[in-house]
Amino acid sequence: MLDPQIETAIRDAVDAGFADQTAFTAEIVASPSVRGREQPAQNLMAAAMRERGLPVDSWRIDPETIRHLPGFSPVTVSYEQATTVVGAWRAPDPRGRSLILNGHIDVVPTGPEEMWAIPPFEPRVADGWMYGRGAGDMKAGLCSTLFAFDALRRAGVRPTGDIYFQSVIEEECTGNGALSCFARGYRADAALIPEPMGERFIRAQVGVIWFQIRLRGFPVHAAYATTGANAIESAYALFPSLHAMCEEWNRRCARVEHFGDLKHPINLNIGKITGGDWASSVPAWCHVDVRIATYPGQDLAEARREIEDTLRAASRDIPFLANSPPEIVWNGFQAEGCILSGGDAEAVLADAHRTVFDDALQPMTCTGTTDARFFGLYAGIPALVYGPKAENIHGYDERVDLESLRRTTQATALFIADWCGIEKA
């Protein structure tokens, strides 16, 4: 437990730096770090780390160096510009516990920008919220780790444990950015990921499988469309079977710890369809990108077999596909679900949260996935996922609650101080 005077000094220090924190967060949100364009934002993060005197390690992700590791997800895109950035605080007299502060810089696409009330990469503050793609998921949380660290030094103290500030990419599609940190040798006594959890922490999270269905049709002139085979329409005929499989998985939730009270934890999403070449030609091809969730403990190989069997059975009822079955490509998330344990760190975070919010820290079951699985499942590192309130993540007019961000930054700063230990700077 921290001395009450130190707690007050650290919280006041967060407040004193919050205007700068908000401005820096806006600068990071303004950098459109969608997949393949993350480098400018990563450069900003690296510069911010160096400004704080933190040595920076930055490297390009090489799939060959992580392919053998548990949790690797296959990719079909180039990693030529895909870099991970880590800044390290090395305690002068390292007698405290070490910590990883991990967050992702990558954001999902915006969709049609004209459907946003505020342009997605022109962050704006209104009515206590910051708007912009990635403001909530999760640039506000990522930036908060640096400013929580600043608050300690502003309060006249410094951590006595090593801290690694990880700014990773690929969280939204593979998790290979976080995995590359393990290949690089980064380990600690605990990890905190400030995802937008609405001031709660994740007790359990689903796994996620991405796959692409590739169909081939039989192209003919549209004037004779009934003599061809439409690859796009054939794809639509497969969707009911996938949804039926998804509902069968949902019926199993009562048997899965932490999932029994959720009405629909397993969600299937037909996320993207491309196909055809010409309005007057029956489409010769169609690709469908799909996401489905899995439970903790659900074997991914078995889940993939169920998906394959489901699509194979559905294809037998479609005359053309019976003789030209779809190809399935596993091309992204192959992420296991997990139940997370924060160990002793969880109690420390709970104390910090109670100090700031005057309320107990509440657990939640997450129907999405986070990079916490790498720490909890594969590295034996207690993992905490905790962060501010946000709305419309992955949707239009994404936003983060700045008052919630201020308070969770206070809690993060208190957690760092208590977990790592502090001494006079």
Side-chain angles (χ1 to χ4, degrees), residues 136-166:
D137 187 15
M138 61 167 290
K139 291 181 174 180
L142 172 63
C143 296
S144 75
T145 61
L146 291 175
F147 286 86
F149 178 68
D150 289 347
L152 301 188
R153 299 202 286 190
R154 190 178 291 114
V157 298
R158 62 189 183 188
T160 57
D162 293 343
I163 303 174
Y164 305 106
F165 298 84
Q166 298 181 348

Side-chain angles (χ1 to χ4, degrees), residues 37-362:
R37 295 169 57 193
E38 306 97 335
Q39 197 58 55
Q42 287 289 58
N43 291 342
L44 291 172
M45 289 300 299
M49 293 173 187
R50 292 189 180 100
E51 287 171 6
R52 289 161 171 81
L54 304 176
V56 172
D57 184 15
S58 180
W59 65 91
R60 182 176 64 84
I61 300 173
D62 180 0
E64 295 309 312
T65 66
I66 59 176
R67 191 179 304 277
H68 66 287
L69 296 176
F72 173 77
S73 291
V75 291
T76 56
V77 300
S78 171
Y79 275 177
E80 194 63 35
Q81 300 297 320
T83 60
T84 302
V85 174
V86 177
W89 160 258
R90 303 288 186 180
D93 182 14
R95 59 186 182 276
R97 293 173 291 199
S98 59
L99 178 65
I100 289 170
L101 295 167
N102 170 284
H104 66 89
I105 198 79
D106 55 311
V107 300
V108 300
T110 63
E113 294 193 10
E114 64 271 16
M115 298 186 73
W116 288 66
I118 295 173
F121 297 116
E122 296 178 18
R124 206 169 302 173
V125 173
D127 300 321
W129 296 83
M130 179 183 289
Y131 290 79
R133 170 58 86 230
D137 187 15
M138 61 167 290
K139 291 181 174 180
L142 172 63
C143 296
S144 75
T145 61
L146 291 175
F147 286 86
F149 178 68
D150 289 347
L152 301 188
R153 299 202 286 190
R154 190 178 291 114
V157 298
R158 62 189 183 188
T160 57
D162 293 343
I163 303 174
Y164 305 106
F165 298 84
Q166 298 181 348
S167 179
V168 304
I169 63 172
E170 289 284 294
E171 192 274 349
E172 296 286 7
C173 46
T174 63
N176 288 342
L179 185 59
S180 74
C181 292
F182 288 101
R184 199 77 166 182
Y186 288 101
R187 301 289 189 279
D189 295 318
L192 174 68
I193 304 177
E195 289 271 15
M197 292 297 112
E199 301 166 0
R200 298 172 293 170
F201 77 102
I202 292 179
R203 171 63 69 216
Q205 66 183 36
V206 298
V208 170
I209 294 176
W210 276 16
F211 59 98
Q212 186 177 78
I213 309 169
R214 297 180 179 179
L215 300 103
R216 291 165 295 181
F218 185 77
V220 297
H221 192 291
Y224 314 104
T226 57
T227 66
N230 190 310
I232 295 174
E233 292 185 7
S234 295
Y236 276 84
L238 296 174
F239 298 164
S241 64
L242 289 174
H243 282 290
M245 182 194 72
C246 178
E247 294 313 305
E248 169 57 31
W249 288 10
N250 273 289
R251 285 190 284 272
R252 306 173 191 172
C253 72
R255 305 197 299 268
V256 182
E257 187 180 9
H258 303 297
F259 284 81
D261 293 334
L262 275 62
K263 291 184 178 179
H264 203 274
I266 302 300
N267 289 295
L268 173 84
N269 187 57
I270 309 297
K272 182 180 177 182
I273 300 176
T274 54
D277 302 294
W278 195 251
S280 289
S281 297
V282 170
W285 66 279
C286 180
H287 293 172
V288 183
D289 290 285
V290 186
R291 175 267 198 202
I292 192 168
T294 63
Y295 292 112
Q298 185 174 356
D299 182 79
L300 294 190
E302 178 57 33
R304 288 190 289 266
R305 282 192 291 271
E306 285 193 55
I307 292 167
E308 291 171 342
D309 290 346
T310 295
L311 289 171
R312 189 178 299 112
S315 297
R316 286 197 290 267
D317 295 330
I318 302 169
F320 180 77
L321 292 183
N323 295 312
S324 182
E327 177 188 5
I328 302 170
V329 177
W330 313 103
N331 65 341
F333 275 129
Q334 303 298 309
E336 293 185 83
C338 61
I339 296 171
L340 296 173
S341 172
D344 292 342
E346 186 177 312
V348 175
L349 180 62
D351 285 341
H353 178 87
R354 184 180 292 279
T355 297
V356 174
F357 290 90
D358 194 27
D359 199 4
L361 178 60
Q362 298 296 326

